[in-house]
Amino acid sequence: MKLVDTHAHLSDSTFADSIASVLVRASQAGVSQIINVATTANSTLATIDLASQVEGVFATAGIHPNHAHQATDLDWETVVQSADSEKVVAIGETGLDRYWDDCPWPIQLANFERHIELSVSRKLPLIIHTRDCWDDMLAVLRRSASQYTLQGVMHSFTGNTEQADAFMSFGLDISFAGMLTYKKSEELRITASTVPLDRVLVETDSPYLSPEPHRGKRPNEPGRVVHTASVLAKCKQISLQEIATATTANARRLFRRITDSCLGPPSQSS
């Protein structure tokens, strides 16, 4: 069995002293590849650096909406230039967030829109974050889908079936994280059961969102994606192997720069 963790933050300081053991546990759990997701210009460079040292780890380039007000023109230029790296498989993490009130809304919108344009120009998928702003997100993506052919994923999805259907109509896939396993998430599991098998992904969002039976225990790590995949399999009434096969195929279709290399240890220079 092989699984792809399509969203982890391995370059987070939480993993600074444990990355080797985290990767070993991931490999032992059946994780063959990990997409290490950036949130700032500096973390974009860090994700590329780790991807250059570890087989099976891939990078992204982007500035998270909660950091957009801190980003300079030079930071954005770093993201743009990094998008040309062979190690970068996606643009993001980008999107919109009304839960936290740190970044002014006009800055978030401008930041998201330029990520969309970069995704289109580089033919790389978007990794999209949304929190407490479903209607806003739908409006932006509906407008963008009328201008461009979009590709990407709604990361750590927590919406309903109607919202999932709308995002898929824009050309986006749906990814589920640890919340799918929580006892209170019955509505989310119903939504997951309706997402077509060829449009679904799994992730951990490490070091956040630990799934059951590890809920509340941090850091979360990529090896735990198997728990989310297992619950997703139950939602779809198929085997874990079938979910692993489908989600891995979907990840390789969406993130086309992923190679067949499997997860390995960090090089001695890491």
Side-chain angles (χ1 to χ4, degrees), residues 1-3 5 10 14-34 54 57 204 206-207 210 214 217-227 263-266:
M1 182 184 72
K2 293 182 179 180
L3 287 163
D5 182 356
L10 293 178
T14 303
F15 296 121
D17 298 322
S18 60
I19 190 65
S21 58
V22 166
L23 292 170
V24 167
R25 286 191 291 273
S27 182
Q28 291 172 340
V31 177
S32 61
Q33 296 162 329
I34 302 168
V54 182
V57 172
T204 58
S206 305
S210 293
H214 303 285
K217 300 176 183 178
R218 290 180 62 180
N220 190 16
E221 55 183 67
R224 295 177 181 173
V225 74
V226 67
H227 299 294
L263 203 59

Side-chain angles (χ1 to χ4, degrees), residues 125-204:
L126 289 161
I127 294 178
I128 302 174
H129 166 104
T130 184
R131 190 170 185 185
D132 288 2
C133 57
W134 293 106
D135 290 342
D136 298 299
M137 179 61 70
L138 285 165
V140 171
L141 290 175
R142 184 175 292 111
R143 183 170 64 251
S144 295
S146 70
Q147 300 175 277
Y148 311 114
T149 299
L150 299 181
Q151 56 178 323
V153 56
M154 301 304 298
H155 126 76
S156 192
F157 188 76
T158 58
N160 59 36
T161 299
E162 182 180 4
Q163 290 160 343
D165 288 344
F167 292 128
M168 287 189 289
S169 76
F170 302 146
L172 303 170
D173 291 345
I174 306 296
S175 180
F176 294 99
M179 292 90 73
L180 190 71
T181 71
Y182 299 167
K183 292 180 181 179
K184 66 177 183 179
S185 297
E186 186 57 34
E187 183 178 353
L188 185 60
R189 287 188 284 274
I190 292 171
T191 296
S193 73
T194 69
V195 176
L197 193 58
D198 63 350
R199 302 296 297 278
V200 68
L201 300 166
V202 289
E203 62 171 277
T204 58

Side-chain angles (χ1 to χ4, degrees), residues 26-124:
S27 182
Q28 291 172 340
V31 177
S32 61
Q33 296 162 329
I34 302 168
I35 298 177
N36 186 24
V37 178
T39 57
T40 64
N42 285 341
S43 69
T44 293
L45 297 176
T47 65
I48 294 172
D49 183 56
L50 186 63
S52 70
Q53 299 176 48
V54 182
E55 289 291 322
V57 172
F58 302 90
T60 76
I63 297 172
H64 191 285
N66 293 334
H67 298 304
H69 60 302
Q70 301 166 329
T72 65
D73 290 342
L74 183 59
D75 288 332
W76 179 244
E77 185 59 30
T78 296
V79 170
V80 171
Q81 292 178 1
S82 296
D84 293 323
S85 168
E86 64 179 8
K87 298 296 184 180
V88 169
V89 300
I91 302 300
E93 176 177 358
T94 184
L96 300 170
D97 191 317
R98 286 194 184 273
Y99 180 80
W100 299 106
D101 195 27
D102 298 325
C103 182
W105 191 248
I107 294 177
Q108 287 197 48
L109 284 171
N111 181 65
F112 186 27
E113 288 170 354
R114 66 183 180 181
H115 279 77
I116 293 172
E117 292 170 0
L118 183 60
S119 164
V120 172
S121 69
R122 295 301 194 274
K123 295 182 172 58
L124 290 172

